Amino acid sequence: MDAIDRRILRELQADGRLTNQELAARVGLTPSPCLRRVRQLEDDGVIRGYRAVIDPVAVGRGFEVFASVEVHRDRASVEAFETEVQAIPDIVEAYRLYGAPGCLLRIAVSDSDAYERFWTEKLIALPGVSDVNSQMIMKRIKTPQGVPVE
């Protein structure tokens, strides 16, 4: 990966809707080689995909919670937990962590009552869960902007 590839990545992280023409102009290439580079970055798995960033409030998911979850530390429990977490749309991000807690989930629901129902009906019912600690987001200070590409 060279400096031009890195510029392409920075530009696409800032605006994934750039046309190839616009992207080429911003990185100092003509459209054909720019498109070849983008396709190569996609084929290599460097660019994993493109998506729209949605305002959670606009879609009725403005109440967000980080849930620290302890899962029994045996292979079957961890695998069952991770499989079920992937199938639950209210869990918008999930991470297995080193140390304690074992997992961190970001959950997006409509309000506190919806989270209570989610906690009772789904979260503590997940396989292997032994403890849950919920922290409500008061204010979003910084949103994900991609990863730094130096």
Side-chain angles (χ1 to χ4, degrees):
M1 187 177 322
D2 64 12
I4 293 173
D5 288 334
R6 293 180 193 290
R7 284 202 309 259
I8 288 170
L9 295 173
R10 282 192 297 273
E11 292 295 337
L12 287 175
Q13 280 192 120
D15 184 356
R17 293 190 67 179
L18 288 173
T19 66
N20 185 57
Q21 296 268 92
E22 294 168 325
L23 179 60
R26 289 185 185 192
V27 300
L29 292 174
T30 58
S32 289
C34 182
L35 185 57
R36 276 194 301 275
R37 283 175 177 263
V38 169
R39 287 194 175 141
Q40 188 63 54
L41 290 165
E42 292 168 347
D43 290 344
D44 291 345
V46 177
I47 297 174
R48 294 185 187 173
Y50 303 87
R51 28 181 91 88
V53 179
I54 307 295
D55 177 4
V57 173
V59 294
R61 300 279 180 159
F63 191 80
E64 292 183 276
V65 177
F66 286 114
S68 303
V69 180
E70 271 303 336
V71 177
H72 296 295
R73 304 218 179 212
D74 62 86
R75 179 182 230 152
S77 294
V78 171
E79 287 176 356
F81 172 82
E82 290 180 0
T83 297
E84 288 206 29
V85 160
Q86 291 181 32
I88 300 173
D90 296 327
I91 300 173
V92 295
E93 287 183 83
Y95 302 93
R96 186 190 314 165
L97 307 174
Y98 289 105
C103 295
L104 180 65
L105 310 177
R106 183 168 68 95
I107 299 158
V109 293
S110 59
D111 55 31
S112 178
D113 291 338
Y115 181 66
E116 181 182 3
R117 281 189 306 279
F118 176 81
W119 188 91
T120 303
E121 296 168 10
K122 293 184 180 174
L123 190 55
I124 62 172
L126 286 167
V129 169
S130 61
D131 189 38
V132 175
N133 182 6
S134 304
Q135 297 174 331
M136 280 50 109
I137 296 174
M138 179 187 303
K139 176 183 176 184
R140 187 179 308 275
I141 298 169
K142 182 177 182 180
T143 59
Q145 302 294 314
V147 295
V149 181
E150 306 292 325

